[in-house]
């Protein structure tokens, strides 16, 4: 079950308890907003930790930096609500990578308590929270050249599906495929380390069944595709 919650705006959000079992709550956020969940964007660096501030400082384009600050401010506000602590008190870490064992795997809360996933593309961010491992992804629909560039990197069945479509239909199909694939890879914590071949998620209107995960397409504005993967 997925509880899809509309945009996190300028007012303080009502988080409530997380649903039990293999389910998730998903929030959306306009990353161009100047007020996020009752906090002003210009005050974001007072809430973020040193690593987040350092990463933001390396972003030379103001628009890109503001989108990063807004999405991470929103993440901390929502995590704080679910954990019952102030946003600045949320401790974040990286789990060990399942591929190499180094500490650059899935982002996590220090001490556990809630699993989360964050994705941003264009001017939108999606944030997912669950009691079990979860991955969310939102993608702007790609251009035709992107389709050509990645076709050979996908699962052979996915490549065949896309090649069978008229050229004008391929970008939309790749967008939903890519969102599904990224959601699964984020949930598993592998990222792109093992490539894009597995898992097979399909490009058809309904996602393929992925063993061990509940994979679902999410509502998204025109020009975007989004998906959610929840363990179990």
């Amino acid at each position: 079950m997925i509880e899809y919650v509309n945009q996190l705006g300028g007012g303080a959000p009502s988080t409530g308890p997380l649903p039990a079992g293999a389910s998730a709550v998903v929030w959306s956020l306009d990353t161009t907003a100047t007020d996020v969940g009752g906090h002003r964007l210009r005050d974001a660096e007072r809430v973020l930790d040193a690593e987040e501030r350092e990463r933001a400082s390396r972003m030379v384009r103001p628009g890109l930096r503001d989108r990063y600050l807004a999405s991470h401010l929103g993440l901390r506000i929502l995590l704080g609500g679910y954990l019952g602590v102030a946003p600045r008190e949320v401790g974040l870490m990286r789990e060990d990578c399942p591929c190499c064992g180094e500490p650059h795997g899935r982002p996590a809360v220090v001490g556990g308590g809630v699993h989360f996933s964050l994705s941003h593309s264009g001017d939108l961010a999606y944030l997912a929270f669950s009691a079990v491992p979860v991955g969310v992804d939102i993608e702007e629909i790609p251009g035709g050249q992107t389709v050509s560039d990645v076709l050979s990197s996908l699962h052979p069945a996915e490549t065949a599906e896309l090649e069978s479509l008229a050229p004008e239909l391929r970008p939309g199909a790749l967008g939903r495929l890519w969102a599904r694939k990224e959601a699964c890879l984020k949930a598993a914590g592998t990222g792109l380390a093992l490539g894009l071949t597995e898992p097979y998620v399909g490009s058809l209107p309904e996602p393929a069944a992925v063993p061990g995960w509940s994979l679902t397409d999410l509502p998204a504005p025109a020009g975007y595709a989004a998906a959610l993967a929840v363990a179990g």
Side-chain angles (χ1 to χ4, degrees), residues 46-65:
R46 301 179 185 176
V47 179
L48 306 187
D49 64 21
E51 182 178 344
E52 290 167 314
R53 293 194 300 270
E54 194 277 332
R55 185 171 181 181
S57 72
R58 298 200 305 266
M59 299 179 181
V60 296
R61 290 170 51 196
L64 182 62
R65 182 170 60 251

Side-chain angles (χ1 to χ4, degrees), residues 10-36:
S14 176
T15 49
L18 279 172
S23 54
V25 179
V26 182
W27 296 74
S28 64
L29 169 65
D30 177 357
T31 57
T32 66
T34 57
D35 292 274
V36 178

